[in-house]
Amino acid sequence: MLLTVFAVCCAVVAAALVANGVRALRRGARSLTSLLALVAGIAVLALDVLVVVLAVVGTPVSSALLVLVLAVAGYGAVAFLVFLGAALVHGHVRVTEEAEALVVLGCGLVHGQVSPMLRSRLDRTIAVFHHSAAAGRTPVVVASGGQGEDEDRTEADAMAEYLVDHGVPSGLVHREARSRNTRENLRFSGELLRDAAVDGRTLVVTNDYHVLRTAITARRTGLDAHVLGAPTSRQAIPSAFLREFAAVLVMHGWWHLGAVAVVVALWAVALGTGLLPA
């Protein structure tokens, strides 16, 4: 019964991921990150087929292998659910405090203009800026983002232009145009704030799927900041969260490899002591 539930759940998840990946293909997506949902869907489908085959074969060896596959897959599923829950909670906690500094992270331009995902980050930043201003503060805003190989200007320039066009005084907008990744975003923005002698509460704005890794990276770079999440478009959610999950796994790679090694060791002990058929 449990195997049937597992197989059905895997099939449903795989179908949803593959459907999202096919839609991304039809929209012209070609990069691995854009098609991560499709890749993950195929992987989940392959896992489902493997589980069904091992269950159908029904030999002692296949039964023992089935237990190992389910144990490792279960660990991966639990790790993803923990990541997803932490990211959603961390990204959607309502923050009402005002700030002295806002750092908005860049995420790529479309034909030199802010993308929908980046616009979501900027709109959240603008809302917090006006909330702080209404409370009598004048927070500075750091637009953080360098120039990609396929971009004709820096993300910082496009972001600063958007911020000013939407009511943020140009004198309060600082441009950090050197960064190429999240770590550099936070490190260079922190340096800019220190050089400008800006002190007090700092809020970093990114998309909700990116909040957890940004918070971890902020701590590692020594930036004392709270991270806010902006909404992510529905069609981008599967690939975005999967990409972030992979990145967080890599950040704690040895820990997760150790956990999987423990799972395999326990399976081997159970096999050796006769608790599992051999």
Side-chain angles (χ1 to χ4, degrees):
M1 180 62 181
L2 290 177
L3 281 180
T4 301
V5 172
F6 178 87
V8 171
C9 289
C10 280
V12 171
V13 171
L17 290 172
V18 169
N20 181 273
V22 170
R23 286 195 297 271
L25 275 174
R26 290 176 177 173
R27 292 194 303 267
R30 292 296 181 270
S31 67
L32 177 59
T33 54
S34 300
L35 297 175
L36 199 54
L38 178 61
V39 174
I42 294 173
V44 172
L45 183 60
L47 171 65
D48 200 19
V49 171
L50 176 61
V51 167
V52 171
V53 169
L54 290 175
V56 169
V57 170
T59 65
V61 173
S62 69
S63 297
L65 288 175
L66 178 60
V67 171
L68 177 61
V69 169
L70 291 175
V72 174
Y75 174 80
V78 169
F80 179 74
L81 290 175
V82 170
F83 158 79
L84 184 62
L88 290 176
V89 169
H90 206 112
H92 292 277
V93 169
R94 185 174 180 82
V95 176
T96 57
E97 295 94 336
E98 297 80 30
E100 275 69 39
L102 294 163
V103 178
V104 54
L105 307 187
C107 64
L109 305 177
V110 177
H111 305 303
Q113 303 299 317
V114 299
S115 63
M117 191 172 293
L118 182 52
R119 186 181 304 115
S120 177
R121 300 182 183 190
L122 291 166
D123 288 342
R124 182 75 193 269
T125 301
I126 292 165
V128 177
F129 173 86
H130 288 307
H131 175 73
S132 297
R137 305 195 184 199
T138 54
V140 301
V141 182
V142 179
S144 178
Q147 183 173 344
E149 295 180 357
D150 59 343
E151 295 171 344
D152 57 6
R153 62 171 174 165
T154 66
E155 294 169 8
D157 284 341
M159 294 159 69
E161 181 181 282
Y162 186 94
L163 289 166
V164 172
D165 287 345
H166 288 78
V168 181
S170 59
L172 295 176
V173 177
H174 295 256
R175 306 181 189 206
E176 185 289 294
R178 294 185 294 159
S179 55
R180 296 291 184 272
N181 53 52
T182 301
R183 178 175 290 275
E184 291 184 353
N185 282 136
L186 297 169
R187 195 181 97 200
F188 296 154
S189 294
E191 292 174 358
L192 189 155
L193 291 173
R194 286 192 294 272
D195 292 342
V198 177
D199 195 13
R201 184 173 177 78
T202 299
L203 299 178
V204 177
V205 183
T206 185
N207 284 97
D208 48 12
Y209 71 86
H210 191 226
V211 164
L212 186 60
R213 181 159 64 100
T214 300
I216 295 171
T217 306
R219 287 196 297 271
R220 291 185 175 184
T221 57
L223 180 63
D224 184 13
H226 188 95
V227 185
L228 300 181
T232 303
S233 60
R234 284 187 301 174
Q235 63 267 25
I237 285 176
S239 290
F241 274 93
L242 287 168
R243 182 174 68 247
E244 285 303 299
F245 176 60
V248 171
L249 283 182
V250 170
M251 291 178 77
H252 301 89
W254 288 112
W255 195 95
H256 289 290
L257 285 175
V260 172
V262 169
V263 171
V264 174
L266 290 174
W267 172 83
V269 169
L271 191 64
T273 56
L275 294 176
L276 292 175

